[in-house]
């Protein structure tokens, strides 16, 4: 593996890309990372893009039947910026439908974990994590609402970085929940993450929530562990996380344990807010505007929309129904407004705890499950597994998941969070970590 500049300096020729695409197509038959592979890539550092981010001329479905056939005529701002810096586009990666999921199972094409195909790849950016885990020189542009970058990155043994809300323009993103969605990046090293983030970020006239704020690199030696979060972690993960903390103490960090009020309400607050927003962002899929065309215009209004919208998957339907209920005038103050208050309280207490420290936690509270076991969990049991990734996402704070151990051959990640716009600091932390810890991969497609 090399950095982007090394790769560009070597400027591999047509044969390299030819072989890369052929090997990738073969691996993809087993692992399902890509919805589309760009067979005509012929130059540039290979970058894949999650299927809810628009790349001109390539179908963008967000893994939904409702968007089948939608081919955007424009690039998302982040994609346009990467192309203008000479990055090459290698393909679109599969995901949970519209980002609704934790395991990559809520979709027709399910990515598989490259360390063992029986296991889930994590979600919702499942394909991005698998692509990153199997391609040597590559980065993946992905997106997180409540943990969709950290979780699959942890399960597939790669670095996954979610920036401050607003640091990267969302123009060209197929929305899940506008107040929570963030475009970020996965790679096999923190330095590649930094380079790609720096190319994508910055204000954009096309997204009024994109920010002009300076990105800082204020590093801390102190690490904070939140007691309430740790109490949800399964024993094997906890043991290995504690040995990580010891190791970091040996490298000059100090570890403090703190209590944080409302942190265990974060999952509930997140699902209330995200479903309320999702039920409105999905209203635009009606069967005649984007993607899927219902074409039975002779039908009555209600019949037409009910039939057209039957094409949403089960989890999307669940969220439309619950989200619509939550927004109802008679229950709004009972759920939605309360959730907003909890969100505010969590932002304040996290910011306070991180004045001179980073928050560190396992990325996922359990070991990566087999797909057959994950399928047996109820929706509420699945939602609860987002307990580590939801707090920084709800707060819009930058965080990074990095591999730190392998249990029975499966990778496991830890997550580091910092305050708004201090994004470079968590990337720097992982750059330091990588100096003494080598990541393992099962595939090395396109190595130089
Ligand atoms: N698992 C969370 C959800 O389903 C987060 C997914 C995401 O970040 N898109 O909402």
């Amino acid at each position: 593996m090399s950095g982007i500049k090394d790769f560009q300096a070597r400027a591999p020729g047509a044969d390299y890309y030819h072989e890369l695409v052929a090997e990738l197509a073969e691996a993809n038959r087993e692992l399902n990372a890509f919805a589309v592979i760009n067979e005509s890539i012929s130059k540039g550092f290979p970058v894949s893009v999650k299927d809810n981010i628009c790349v001109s001329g390539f179908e963008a479905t967000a893994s939904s039947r409702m968007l089948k056939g939608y081919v955007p005529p424009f690039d998302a701002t982040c994609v346009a910026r990467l192309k203008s810096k000479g990055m090459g586009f290698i393909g679109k990666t599969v995901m949970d439908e519209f980002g609704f999921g934790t395991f990559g199972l809520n979709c027709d094409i399910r990515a598989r974990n490259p360390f063992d195909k029986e296991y889930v790849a994590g979600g919702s950016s499942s394909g991005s994590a698998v692509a990153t885990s199997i391609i040597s020189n590559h980065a993946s542009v992905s997106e997180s609402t409540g943990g969709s970058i950290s979780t699959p990155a942890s399960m597939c043994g790669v670095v996954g970085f979610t920036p401050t809300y607003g640091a990267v323009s969302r123009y060209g993103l197929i929305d899940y929940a506008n107040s929570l969605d963030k475009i970020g990046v996965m790679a096999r090293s923190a330095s590649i993450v930094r380079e790609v983030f720096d190319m994508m970020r910055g204000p954009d006239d096309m997204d009024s929530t994109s920010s002009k704020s300076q990105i800082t690199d204020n590093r801390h030696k102190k690490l904070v562990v939140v007691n309430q979060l740790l109490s949800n972690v399964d024993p094997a993960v906890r043991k290995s996380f504690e040995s990580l903390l010891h190791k970091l103490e040996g490298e000059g960090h100090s570890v403090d344990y703190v209590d944080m009020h409302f942190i265990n309400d974060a999952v509930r607050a997140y699902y209330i807010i995200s479903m309320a927003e999702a039920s409105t962002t999905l209203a635009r899929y009606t069967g005649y505007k984007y993607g899927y065309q219902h074409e039975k215009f002779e039908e009555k209004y209600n019949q037409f929309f009910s039939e057209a919208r039957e094409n949403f998957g089960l989890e999307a339907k669940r969220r439309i129904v619950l989200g619509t209920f939550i927004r109802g005038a008679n229950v709004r103050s009972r759920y939605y407004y309360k959730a907003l208050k909890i969100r505010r309280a969590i932002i304040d207490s996290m910011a306070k705890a991180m004045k001179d420290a980073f928050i560190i936690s396992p990325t996922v509270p359990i070991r990566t499950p087999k797909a057959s076991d994950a399928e047996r969990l109820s929706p509420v049991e699945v939602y609860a597994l987002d307990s580590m990734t939801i707090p920084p996402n709800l707060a819009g704070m930058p965080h990074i998941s990095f591999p730190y151990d392998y249990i029975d051959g499966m990778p496991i990640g830890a997550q580091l969070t910092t305050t708004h716009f201090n994004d470079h600091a968590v990337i720097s932390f992982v750059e330091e970590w990588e100096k003494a810890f080598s990541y393992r991969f099962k595939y090395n497609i396109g190595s130089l």
Side-chain angles (χ1 to χ4, degrees):
M1 191 196 57
S2 53
I4 295 178
K5 289 194 185 75
D6 293 344
F7 183 93
Q8 283 170 328
R10 291 172 74 160
D15 286 355
Y16 171 83
Y17 292 97
H18 199 74
E19 210 171 299
L20 170 67
V21 166
E23 279 185 47
L24 204 50
E26 195 184 320
N28 204 47
R29 279 193 277 279
E30 285 180 79
L31 299 173
N32 288 335
F34 285 87
V36 185
I37 295 174
N38 175 17
E39 286 171 4
S40 55
I41 181 173
S42 60
K43 58 180 183 357
F45 186 82
V47 171
S48 63
V49 179
K50 185 175 179 177
D51 202 31
N52 59 352
I53 298 169
C54 292
V55 177
S56 179
F58 287 85
E59 190 184 37
T61 69
S63 287
S64 179
R65 275 174 244 161
M66 283 308 281
L67 273 168
K68 266 253 142 323
Y70 171 62
V71 179
F74 69 106
D75 282 325
T77 297
C78 59
V79 171
R81 288 183 182 174
L82 292 175
K83 284 184 177 173
S84 76
K85 302 278 184 195
M87 300 293 103
F89 167 64
I90 181 79
K92 300 296 296 283
T93 57
V94 306
M95 54 186 283
D96 283 298
E97 182 178 15
F98 290 110
F100 304 149
T102 301
F103 294 128
L105 299 175
N106 295 333
C107 45
D108 293 333
I109 308 175
R110 295 166 162 192
R112 293 174 155 160
N113 197 303
F115 285 83
D116 185 330
K117 284 179 287 182
E118 302 267 299
Y119 288 75
V120 300
S124 69
S125 313
S126 44
S128 283
V130 176
T132 308
S133 187
I134 65 175
I135 308 173
S136 291
N137 296 287
H138 159 269
S140 194
V141 179
S142 44
E143 174 276 338
S144 172
T145 309
S148 280
I149 296 178
S150 281
T151 299
S154 172
M155 292 181 176
C156 293
V158 303
V159 181
F161 168 64
T162 308
T164 302
Y165 178 82
V168 176
S169 165
R170 289 181 294 117
Y171 179 68
L173 170 70
I174 297 169
D175 304 310
Y176 162 177
N178 312 59
S179 81
L180 291 157
D181 297 342
K182 297 150 301 267
I183 291 176
V185 48
M186 292 187 202
R188 285 183 171 202
S189 78
S191 56
I192 294 178
V193 163
R194 180 192 300 270
E195 285 180 82
V196 173
F197 170 56
D198 285 347
M199 290 180 207
M200 296 195 298
R201 68 186 171 84
D204 175 18
D205 289 343
M206 303 302 278
D207 174 4
S208 60
T209 61
S210 66
S211 171
K212 291 191 183 69
S213 298
Q214 284 296 316
I215 299 297
T216 58
D217 191 356
N218 297 322
R219 305 178 192 189
H220 307 294
K221 285 289 177 198
K222 189 164 128 194
L223 304 173
V224 165
V225 176
V226 179
N227 291 322
Q228 285 88 343
L229 290 183
L230 209 57
S231 66
N232 301 326
V233 172
D234 101 353
V237 175
R238 188 168 175 150
K239 190 162 159 246
S240 112
F241 179 68
E242 279 164 355
S243 65
L244 167 69
L245 295 178
H246 283 308
K247 206 165 174 183
L248 291 169
E249 280 174 326
E251 290 169 10
H253 291 278
S254 65
V255 178
D256 255 22
Y257 290 79
V258 304
D259 285 319
M260 206 172 272
H261 297 305
F262 299 114
I263 201 82
N264 280 340
D265 296 313
V267 170
R268 271 172 287 181
Y270 165 82
Y271 276 98
I272 288 170
I273 295 169
S274 68
M275 286 188 195
E277 292 187 27
S279 67
T280 72
T281 55
L282 296 185
R284 68 188 67 145
Y285 306 112
T286 49
Y288 63 85
K289 200 169 177 189
Y290 308 102
Y292 170 68
Q293 302 296 309
H294 192 52
E295 279 171 359
K296 297 190 182 158
F297 293 112
E298 71 287 355
E299 287 181 350
K300 292 252 169 19
Y301 187 90
N302 280 349
Q303 190 186 4
F304 179 93
F305 291 118
S306 308
E307 282 179 14
R309 287 165 68 85
E310 261 170 33
N311 288 291
F312 280 115
L314 183 64
E315 186 59 29
K317 286 178 187 155
R318 180 177 292 122
R319 294 186 189 207
I320 291 170
V321 171
L322 285 170
T324 306
F325 168 74
I326 287 161
R327 288 187 289 110
N330 49 341
V331 296
R332 215 178 282 163
S333 56
R334 213 175 323 146
Y335 301 110
Y336 186 69
Y337 292 149
K338 213 178 265 177
L340 291 180
K341 282 186 194 153
I342 288 171
R343 182 185 204 170
R344 185 71 249 167
I346 287 173
I347 294 174
D348 292 344
S349 48
M350 285 178 72
K352 198 167 142 221
M354 293 195 292
K355 270 210 177 79
D356 56 351
F358 294 123
I359 290 179
I360 192 165
S361 72
T363 303
V364 184
I366 58 164
R367 293 166 66 176
T368 302
K370 287 188 174 163
S372 54
D373 292 330
E375 271 173 346
R376 280 197 281 272
L377 298 173
S378 72
V380 174
E381 285 169 326
V382 176
Y383 302 162
L385 297 174
D386 295 338
S387 57
M388 309 288 145
T389 59
I390 279 178
N393 277 283
L394 195 59
M397 289 172 176
H399 52 284
I400 195 164
S401 176
F402 59 98
Y404 75 90
D405 198 1
Y406 298 84
I407 307 182
D408 297 334
M410 297 300 288
I412 176 162
Q415 181 181 268
L416 194 79
T417 302
T418 190
T419 45
H420 294 126
F421 300 107
N422 194 28
D423 299 53
H424 280 153
V426 290
I427 299 174
S428 301
F429 177 98
V430 178
E431 280 174 346
E432 280 303 309
W433 168 252
E434 288 169 357
K435 287 182 186 159
F437 186 86
S438 330
Y439 303 150
R440 301 179 201 164
F441 300 104
K442 282 238 161 158
Y443 297 70
N444 284 299
I445 297 172
S447 56
L448 282 172

